[in-house]
Amino acid sequence: MPRNAADFLVETLIDWGIDTIFGLPGDGINGVMEAIRTRQDKLRFIQVRHEETAAFMACAHAKWTGRIGCCLATSGPGGIHLLNGLYDAKLDRAPVLAITGLQYHDMLESFTQQDVDLDKLFQDVSIYNTRIMSAAHIGKAVELACRSALARRGVAHLTLPVDVQEETLEEASPSPRNKPHPAGMRAAEGLLLPRPEDLDRAAALLNDASRVAILAGRGALGATAELERCADLLGAPVAKALLGKAVMADDHALTTGGIGLYGTFGTHRAMAGCDALLIIGSTFPYVEYYPQPGQARAVQIDRDAQHIGLRHPAEVGLVGDAKAVLEELNARLKRKADRSFLADCQKEARRWREVLAAGLTPPRTPMHPGAPLAVLSRRLTADAVVVTDSGHNTGLTARYLDLGPSHAFGVSGLLASMSCGLPYAMAAALAFPGRPVFAVVGDGGLAMQLGELATAVRYRLPVKLLVIKNNTLGQIKWEQILFLGNPEYECDLQPIDFAKAAEAVGAQGFSVSEPGALEERMQAWMAAPGPAVLEVAVDPNEPLLPAVVSETYRKHLEKALEAGTAGAEALKAALRRLPAKAMMEAK
């Protein structure tokens, strides 16, 4: 039986099915830590080295499992450290519960140590946020927090003064209106479906169009068969937003691959030529890669009505679960006899893959950054889990690593935060014991959370980190050049020997710089027991370009190279090689 507020809190979390908490002990949460310690048979505590990692892991846990991810941090700086990972959960709509400590309730806002009003600080990131000031408040607050996180798919935050954590239930005096009302809800039940007349309107629009394209995102995961059926009926090429990479196999005949900066020739042709667009479970943010205004009528499927028409005007919005909605919509669609638009986009998609492959041959030193991804792609088993960090490594993964519905894929989506790769991988290893887990990270992002390799060692998590080492912030470098036409500035990084860093904390470390040794070193890395790092030294000058470089970007590129960008001649030489040469020439 719970004896105090912290016990009641933890017991309620267990009742809600929370079995793992990610965090770092601190004196502002000692009461909660004791309640967890005495319930180790029901609740697993994963100690991290930085609270930001705890929040990233809670977010990733929620994405991997669909259940509430929970993180815990002490008062003041501990709670502040959670925010980046919690914004990741907010923007990607992952159900997360954050619990933080506060100083003694009668010392708050008196300039005492670590006196930070965390409930005020968390107002923007949270969909439910409250300060618990009595053991009598625990039941309702925790129930509402968990219910809100699940129902509204976001971050709930509870913060407790350190002395309230120790308050016994007998000491608490509930108000006359505070009656126990146990919550029956654990998750949303039933599937929301659009009105039949809206489905009819959507089908009529798509049936009348002659060149339909589909954009599928994370919301389409779990609806692969229905998506494939829809695309086949409409003769529609399927472009995939990054979070939807695994919704359809990358080598499937109906997909053109990624979109945006990580897009392909096929996707560019689809978006530039379609007269109707079906958006399924995506809020891909870069509107410049959608069809031009007035070009294409649109139907959008999303479980959240707030997202309808957010990026592209939607003539018909269908609110509901993608799988269920597509089943209803497919029953109303007519199979298009004219497949010429699909065939044209497929031809461009094949040409894209041929250009990428040609750019890797012959092998060269310094190594093409896509080379290790291409080797890993050939070696992945069907049950592999892949995560990536944010940066140049993300684009390489999007383009050179083939995934499909049997895989699981994760990344910080709308937040696109660096340093997410290792935390996501560790959360995957905990959520999917027995499945191989790979993280593709850059030397910039991994350096931010390098100490968390010790966490992977502590819990014997068999994560495999592929470090793309170019000693530069590659994506930022090319954004400086392409977006504004400015010379690269302060993107070079002080080199770190990540293989030795891995060994220093008890993991295994491998490194390779010669293409001829890549296969052998990768085989040893993949076979290594426990956590292991493979550092691959790659060409820092390989461009990160969209599949079709706009005239604006061409002018910016020319301006930046002539204005003093370091290593301009090497960059110009890289632009003359495949695949960059083909991107620069594409229309």
Side-chain angles (χ1 to χ4, degrees):
M1 293 293 291
R3 63 176 180 82
N4 60 24
D7 291 319
F8 194 12
L9 167 69
V10 172
E11 289 283 358
T12 309
L13 297 181
I14 294 170
D15 287 345
W16 272 83
I18 293 173
D19 60 7
T20 304
I21 296 180
F22 307 96
L24 186 65
D27 58 6
I29 50 172
N30 278 339
V32 179
M33 290 300 301
E34 174 62 11
I36 295 171
R37 185 191 70 81
T38 56
R39 291 163 179 81
Q40 295 178 64
D41 58 329
K42 299 178 182 178
L43 193 61
R44 174 174 57 180
F45 183 79
I46 301 297
Q47 180 215 85
V48 299
R49 294 301 182 96
H50 193 289
E51 290 92 352
E52 181 182 12
T53 297
F56 271 132
M57 292 184 74
C59 174
H61 176 88
K63 288 182 178 181
W64 298 131
T65 67
R67 303 193 304 270
I68 297 173
C70 187
C71 54
L72 174 66
T74 190
S75 54
I80 294 169
H81 284 163
L82 290 176
L83 282 172
N84 195 47
L86 295 181
Y87 271 101
D88 187 36
K90 174 185 176 177
L91 295 183
D92 282 354
R93 310 205 63 213
V96 168
L97 173 63
I99 302 169
T100 60
L102 287 173
Q103 291 303 308
Y104 289 89
H105 83 278
D106 56 353
M107 294 298 294
L108 295 174
E109 300 185 48
S110 67
F111 309 106
T112 191
Q113 186 182 38
Q114 296 188 344
D115 191 6
V116 178
D117 290 338
L118 292 176
D119 48 328
K120 295 178 182 177
L121 183 66
F122 280 51
Q123 283 178 348
D124 180 65
V125 78
S126 306
I127 46 88
Y128 182 84
N129 176 31
T130 193
R131 179 187 297 188
I132 295 175
M133 297 303 292
S134 165
H137 189 198
I138 288 284
K140 281 184 168 53
V142 180
E143 293 276 359
L144 281 169
C146 293
R147 191 188 313 179
S148 299
L150 283 172
R152 298 177 62 187
R153 298 174 64 83
V155 176
H157 172 236
L158 301 173
T159 189
L160 300 81
V162 65
D163 54 331
V164 171
Q165 296 169 35
E166 297 290 339
E167 184 181 31
T168 65
L169 301 184
E170 291 76 15
E171 292 172 335
S173 300
S175 64
R177 292 184 177 179
N178 186 359
K179 304 298 182 184
H181 295 288
M185 178 215 171
R186 287 296 180 266
E189 296 181 0
L191 295 176
L192 177 66
L193 284 173
R195 298 178 303 174
E197 53 265 38
D198 289 331
L199 287 161
D200 292 340
R201 288 174 56 223
L205 187 159
L206 296 170
N207 286 331
D208 289 346
S210 58
R211 302 180 307 280
V212 182
I214 295 175
L215 172 59
R218 184 166 63 101
L221 293 173
T224 297
E226 293 75 16
L227 172 61
E228 291 176 353
R229 173 66 175 158
C230 182
D232 180 62
L233 287 169
L234 294 171
V238 179
K240 299 185 296 181
L242 183 61
L243 290 179
K245 181 173 174 62
V247 73
M248 181 181 286
D250 280 308
D251 58 0
H252 195 290
L254 289 172
T255 186
T256 56
I259 188 172
L261 185 60
Y262 309 145
T264 72
F265 295 154
T267 295
H268 177 80
R269 182 64 58 89
M271 293 298 147
C274 68
D275 63 358
L277 177 65
L278 173 59
I279 305 171
I280 306 171
S282 176
T283 56
F284 174 70
Y286 298 100
V287 296
E288 60 268 30
Y289 292 100
Y290 286 81
Q292 294 298 307
Q295 170 195 322
R297 303 169 71 191
V299 173
Q300 185 171 353
I301 301 171
D302 203 286
R303 65 187 300 165
D304 188 344
Q306 193 176 38
H307 290 170
I308 301 295
L310 196 60
R311 312 297 187 205
H312 187 280
E315 191 168 322
V316 184
L318 303 176
V319 179
D321 173 79
K323 180 180 175 69
V325 174
L326 282 173
E327 286 177 348
E328 294 288 334
L329 182 62
N330 288 345
R332 293 166 165 82
L333 296 178
K334 300 174 183 177
R335 193 175 194 277
K336 294 189 184 296
D338 184 353
R339 322 294 278 186
S340 58
F341 178 62
L342 173 61
D344 184 37
C345 295
Q346 288 174 321
K347 179 181 177 181
E348 286 296 284
R350 288 192 298 271
R351 185 170 74 91
W352 171 258
R353 292 176 69 87
E354 291 166 359
V355 165
L356 288 187
L360 299 178
T361 55
R364 56 182 170 84
T365 304
M367 201 183 308
H368 189 293
L373 276 301
V375 174
L376 177 60
S377 186
R378 294 193 297 268
R379 292 177 170 272
L380 279 184
T381 57
D383 62 341
V385 182
V386 176
V387 306
T388 183
D389 213 304
S390 297
H392 198 165
N393 60 92
T394 319
L396 296 170
T397 303
R399 288 178 169 175
Y400 291 93
L401 191 71
D402 284 345
L403 298 179
S406 68
H407 299 113
F409 175 71
V411 65
S412 173
L414 284 177
L415 188 64
S417 174
M418 291 174 65
S419 81
C420 68
L422 178 53
Y424 267 58
M426 292 191 296
L430 291 164
F432 305 129
R435 293 181 67 174
V437 179
F438 299 92
V440 182
V441 299
D443 43 5
L446 181 57
M448 291 182 172
Q449 295 285 4
L450 189 56
E452 295 300 350
L453 283 172
T455 303
V457 171
R458 176 188 179 100
Y459 294 101
R460 299 179 176 86
L461 302 178
V463 295
K464 301 296 185 283
L465 273 72
L466 176 61
V467 185
I468 307 300
K469 185 179 181 182
N470 54 13
N471 297 324
T472 187
L473 298 173
Q475 181 158 335
I476 303 305
K477 170 181 177 176
W478 284 97
E479 287 177 349
Q480 288 179 352
I481 292 171
L482 288 175
F483 290 2
L484 295 174
N486 294 332
E488 176 271 325
Y489 180 67
E490 282 297 329
C491 291
D492 287 347
L493 300 172
Q494 176 66 27
I496 295 173
D497 189 325
F498 291 100
K500 288 184 178 178
E503 293 171 352
V505 297
Q508 294 199 51
F510 303 83
S511 60
V512 61
S513 59
E514 294 296 328
L518 180 58
E519 291 271 4
E520 178 186 352
R521 300 301 284 170
M522 185 167 288
Q523 181 177 354
W525 165 70
M526 295 179 74
V533 168
L534 174 60
E535 174 190 284
V536 183
V538 301
D539 187 353
N541 296 313
E542 187 64 32
L544 179 63
L545 303 176
V548 177
V549 182
S550 68
E551 186 60 31
T552 298
Y553 282 0
R554 292 169 192 270
K555 291 178 179 178
H556 287 168
L557 182 57
E558 181 179 354
K559 176 187 172 186
L561 293 178
E562 297 303 323
T565 290
E569 292 306 314
L571 296 177
K572 290 177 183 178
L575 290 167
R576 292 192 292 268
R577 295 192 299 260
L578 289 176
K581 182 176 183 292
M583 298 180 197
M584 292 293 291
E585 294 174 350
K587 302 293 183 183

